[in-house]
Amino acid sequence: MAAGWPDKDDHELLALLRDGSHAAFAELVHRHSDRFYRLAYRYMRQREAAEDIVQDAFLKLWTHPDQWQPGHNTRFTTWFYRVVINLCLDVQKKKSPLPLAEEFEVADDTQAAQDDALIERQEHAALEAAIAALPERQYTALNLCFVNDLSNQEAAEVMGLTLKALQSLIMRAKAALKEQLKPVKGEQRYG
Amino acid sequence: MDDMDSTLELLLRSRKVEPPRPGMAERIIMAAHATPQRVRVPFGVWLQRLCAEFYMPRPAFAFAMLLLIGFITGLGVPVDMDTDENGISQPASLQDFLYPEEDSAL
């Protein structure tokens, strides 16, 4: 890879990509593939399927670089999140719903006592089921804000919403989740 | 924000994402190498490329060759063939053409 690529911003790399630069494309992939994978994984719930989505999205960018239109004050990542989400939704529509993963590992498993770990697993299982039942837009809003750690403003841009509309979506999603998780939490933490 | 809210946010943030298989980025880059890029070409550039296709390094030589080919092709066409009003080939008499008045007098 040519020296100096990491110093170039996304827009410069995209301009080079339009001219057929594989090095610019490689830099973009190295820079962003993980974040888009995290988002795709939340939709697909399978590693291979999420990887395929990310690959398809990047190959679309490579074969049709004109699809990216700079100059609308839109960041590349904001636009590409939308591309990834649309691909995920397309694939989900074509296929039957994926089963939830059987094992929900807790990120901080080593520190938790065994009982707590079990409770957390149950909580995560219940949470995943509750999230999967959310309407599509609420699901997307939660993923963008809590999986990809986007700010509300960024998430609103990705979804093409106003900030207030996004906040409203998140509030409704949280309310729905709380409602569904009440029995689980009532028994375990608040019982 | 109440306890339930903060617990929920904590849970949402701690949802595990299975890491991708090693080399995901490299696989994508390799796939791009095997895929041709389809860039929309502006009309001006397209026209320029079209003209470049017909660029002749030796125009005089090319025209001379064209004439020669035309001449040789012309020699191959039978002299006594002609087309009538309907465009159908008919044998034409050279004598009829050269001496039409003599024919009518006869």
Side-chain angles (χ1 to χ4, degrees):
Chain A
M1 188 184 297
W5 291 121
D7 299 332
K8 292 194 184 295
D9 67 24
D10 291 347
H11 288 216
E12 288 173 310
L13 291 172
L14 284 159
L16 290 163
L17 192 150
R18 275 168 184 248
D19 294 336
S21 167
H22 279 281
F25 178 75
E27 176 61 29
L28 275 173
V29 172
H30 280 296
R31 196 178 285 181
H32 297 300
S33 57
D34 278 349
R35 76 169 75 190
F36 296 122
Y37 168 81
R38 278 203 301 279
L39 183 64
Y41 183 85
R42 276 290 147 233
Y43 282 90
M44 307 311 295
R45 299 187 212 118
Q46 283 177 347
R47 183 165 66 172
E48 289 76 11
E51 287 177 4
D52 286 347
I53 291 286
V54 178
Q55 177 162 331
D56 286 353
F58 272 110
L59 285 182
K60 258 189 167 185
L61 175 68
W62 169 254
T63 50
H64 302 285
D66 294 319
Q67 284 184 352
W68 158 250
Q69 296 293 332
H72 299 293
N73 275 340
T74 311
R75 286 193 299 178
F76 163 69
T77 48
T78 304
W79 172 75
F80 208 69
Y81 273 126
R82 233 175 286 157
V83 172
V84 172
I85 290 170
N86 287 339
L87 275 176
C88 290
L89 295 176
D90 283 351
V91 171
Q92 278 182 341
K93 274 174 199 164
K94 283 175 196 162
K95 290 181 179 175
S96 55
L98 291 165
L100 289 172
E102 283 178 16
E103 195 174 328
F104 295 93
E105 291 178 48
V106 182
D108 197 18
D109 208 15
T110 51
Q111 291 175 2
Q114 219 168 11
D115 285 352
D116 280 351
L118 184 67
I119 289 169
E120 283 199 29
R121 278 188 184 194
Q122 286 175 336
E123 280 178 357
H124 275 75
L127 179 68
E128 289 296 336
I131 289 174
L134 286 175
E136 183 189 301
R137 280 151 67 85
Q138 292 180 20
Y139 186 78
T140 300
L142 278 187
N143 280 335
L144 289 171
C145 292
F146 295 103
V147 176
N148 284 75
D149 288 328
L150 295 191
S151 67
N152 285 0
Q153 183 61 48
E154 286 172 310
E157 282 173 22
V158 170
M159 295 182 71
L161 299 171
T162 61
L163 183 60
K164 278 188 180 176
L166 180 100
Q167 286 168 338
S168 161
L169 269 182
I170 291 176
M171 273 178 62
R172 275 185 280 153
K174 279 182 178 176
L177 289 180
K178 277 194 243 178
E179 198 60 38
Q180 294 209 36
L181 292 175
K182 246 178 200 170
V184 181
K185 293 223 161 275
E187 285 165 20
Q188 292 165 355
R189 295 243 165 126
Y190 305 104
Chain B
M1 191 185 283
D2 60 16
D3 274 357
M4 185 91 176
D5 241 4
S6 51
T7 312
L8 181 64
E9 285 202 3
L10 199 70
L11 270 173
L12 284 169
R13 289 189 198 282
S14 66
R15 289 162 76 207
K16 189 169 172 61
V17 174
E18 198 180 355
R21 285 171 297 176
M24 177 180 71
E26 278 67 30
R27 283 196 297 278
I28 296 171
I29 293 161
M30 288 302 290
H33 273 282
T35 312
Q37 208 174 20
R38 284 177 227 158
V39 183
R40 201 178 299 146
V41 182
F43 181 71
V45 177
W46 176 81
L47 199 65
Q48 213 173 357
R49 286 183 189 169
L50 187 72
C51 291
E53 289 292 323
F54 293 100
Y55 170 73
M56 284 187 289
R58 292 178 182 177
F61 181 73
F63 282 123
M65 287 304 292
L66 198 68
L67 275 173
L68 188 67
I69 291 166
F71 184 70
I72 293 167
T73 311
L75 281 180
V77 176
V79 181
D80 60 344
M81 294 296 282
D82 198 1
T83 53
D84 65 4
E85 295 151 352
N86 300 322
I88 300 165
S89 296
Q90 300 248 346
S93 167
L94 190 60
Q95 293 297 322
D96 288 351
F97 173 71
L98 289 174
Y99 311 107
E101 286 177 9
E102 283 181 19
D103 286 349
S104 59
L106 288 172

